């Protein structure tokens, strides 16, 4: 169909966690002039891989500009480790290209189909944010499109305010067209080791003790009576090229076909946690290909399918060190009282600075995944989790949690209104809008 004379397709779009669905008008340009041709006063939002857990790249009343055709490598400096790509380039493809030339992009989200533009818009973190920071640290420059002003070059030296706003700007400062990334020399592989922990307090100590590892994260059981038990995995750079157990798996699809039933009932969660514990809690070290270590979600097809049609929610909170042990103990007591179904908990160490809407700071993050978030008992626990996290100074990851309401985000993020105003100064007519920005009143 057409809207104001511009050719658009009408398509149903859904968030990766299956919580948000909307019928949208989608533009799929394959020339820059088609991006420019959309009338300047039309409400819009950019879409990359479409793999964010929340509805960050679509809205029922916005034109969705799908940049899937803009995925080219524009420039590569093999001596300095600089690569310039279009914003629709997928992170998995960029990583594979870099590795083939002896370089590594240090920060990558778990899903290889996330695009470079999406990684900037969400300011994603990787497998050890305490060491490598967030995506922002590895971006040299951006070229973006403003519906009124046209194409704008931005970096730390040029249009610095707009450049900074693009990270965790969720598309509001403009459509990202291309980016220049700083790479790091790549290791041959990672030697991955595991340390079993009895609870989340012990996990914090182990994470801090291994803060310099290139790969560092934890898995934890979320069941009452076992809450927090799990393993911290840390990966060190292999000194020489060695055999890795298997080739990297094919990329996880942008949308995983759900099973007809929800497998993650109490029995299913018990069996899954037992399998993970048996697989991960081995004391020996093993070599893992770098690509496999960067994209663990490629091994999670059945896990995501097992949530069924109702989907899941991931609530991710970063809690300051000084409050974390108390938060973990209080959360364990709440789990014992309410007995929610938690499929898994992942922990990470952060050592950055909280700024704007970015998910960063100094502390421990917990990503808590739960099936069937609309079920009354599940929804009640999610509400309790939110309140506990805010009470203990937690900071939410806006790009992950589709259950988070605007009032909760406002209470959790210091100077929320200032951060919103800093973003919207680049979009004074509020043309860049998604289901996520509407829900959170950004």
């Amino acid at each position: 169909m057409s809207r104001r004379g511009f050719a658009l397709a009408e398509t149903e779009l859904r968030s990766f966690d299956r919580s948000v669905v909307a019928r949208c008008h989608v533009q799929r340009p394959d020339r820059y002039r088609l991006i420019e041709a959309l009338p300047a006063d039309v409400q819009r939002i950019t879409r990359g891989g479409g793999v964010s857990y929340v509805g960050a790249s679509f809205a029922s009343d916005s034109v969705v500009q799908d940049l899937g055709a803009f995925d080219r490598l524009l420039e590569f400096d093999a001596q300095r480790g600089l690569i310039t790509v279009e914003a629709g380039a997928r992170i998995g493809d960029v990583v594979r290209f870099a590795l083939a030339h002896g370089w590594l992009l240090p920060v990558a989200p778990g899903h290889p189909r996330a695009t470079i533009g999406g990684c900037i818009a969400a300011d994603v973190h990787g497998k050890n944010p305490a060491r490598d920071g967030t995506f922002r640290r590895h971006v040299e420059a951006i070229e973006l499109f403003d519906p009124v002003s046209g194409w704008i070059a931005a970096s730390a030296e040029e249009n610095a305010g707009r450049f900074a706003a693009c990270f965790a700007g969720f598309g509001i400062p403009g459509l990202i067209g291309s980016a220049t990334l700083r790479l790091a020399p790549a290791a041959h592989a990672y030697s991955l080791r595991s340390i079993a922990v009895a609870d989340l307090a012990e996990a914090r100590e182990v994470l801090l003790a291994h803060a310099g590892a290139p790969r560092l994260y934890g898995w934890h059981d979320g069941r009452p009576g076992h809450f927090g038990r799990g393993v911290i995995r840390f990966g060190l750079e292999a000194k020489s090229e060695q055999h890795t157990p298997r080739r990297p798996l094919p990329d996880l699809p942008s949308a995983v076909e759900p099973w007809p039933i929800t497998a993650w009932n109490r029995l299913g969660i018990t069996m899954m946690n037992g399998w993970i514990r048996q697989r991960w809690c081995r004391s020996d070290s093993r070599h893992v290909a770098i690509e496999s270590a960067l994209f663990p979600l490629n091994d999670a097809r059945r896990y995501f399918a097992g949530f069924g049609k109702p989907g899941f929610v991931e609530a991710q909170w970063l809690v300051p060190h000084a409050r974390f042990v108390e938060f973990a103990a209080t959360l364990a007591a709440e789990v014992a009282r309410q007995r929610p179904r938690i499929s898994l908990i992942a922990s990470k160490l952060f050592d950055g600075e909280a700024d704007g809407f970015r998910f960063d700071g100094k502390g421990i993050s917990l990503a808590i995944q739960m099936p069937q978030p609309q079920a009354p008992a599940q929804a009640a626990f999610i509400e309790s989790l939110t309140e506990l996290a805010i009470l203990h100074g937690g900071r939410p990851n806006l790009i992950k949690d589709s259950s988070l309401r605007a009032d909760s985000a406002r209470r959790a993020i210091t100077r929320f209104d200032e951060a919103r105003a800093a973003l919207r100064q680049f979009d004074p007519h509020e043309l860049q809008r998604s289901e996520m920005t509407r829900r959170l009143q950004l």
Side-chain angles (χ1 to χ4, degrees), residues 268-313:
I269 289 173
T270 298
M271 294 176 64
M272 177 179 62
N273 276 278
W275 176 80
I276 293 176
R277 186 171 179 81
Q278 183 180 26
R279 183 184 182 191
W280 283 13
C281 289
R282 297 178 297 188
S283 58
D284 60 322
S285 64
R286 60 191 183 94
H287 279 70
V288 178
I290 292 180
E291 184 183 340
S292 297
L294 288 176
F295 302 118
L297 294 192
N298 283 344
D299 203 13
R301 285 168 172 78
R302 287 177 292 180
Y303 172 71
F304 287 116
F307 286 110
K309 292 183 179 180
F312 67 99
V313 68

Side-chain angles (χ1 to χ4, degrees), residues 417-437:
D417 289 330
E418 290 180 26
R420 183 189 185 281
L423 275 182
R424 286 297 177 185
Q425 68 173 308
F426 302 111
D427 181 28
H429 302 295
E430 300 194 7
L431 296 176
Q432 309 279 358
R433 299 194 67 84
S434 67
E435 297 289 342
M436 187 201 83
T437 62

Side-chain angles (χ1 to χ4, degrees), residues 76 80-83 95 98-99 101-107 131-132 138 181-187 190 215 237 290:
F76 177 56
R80 299 169 59 203
L82 294 177
I83 185 171
V95 164
L99 288 173
H101 292 81
W103 293 94
L104 172 69
L105 183 58
V107 173
R131 168 182 147 137
D132 297 322
H138 307 279
L181 312 175
R182 290 188 293 269
L183 306 174
Y190 291 120
R215 295 294 166 262
E237 295 180 352
I290 292 180

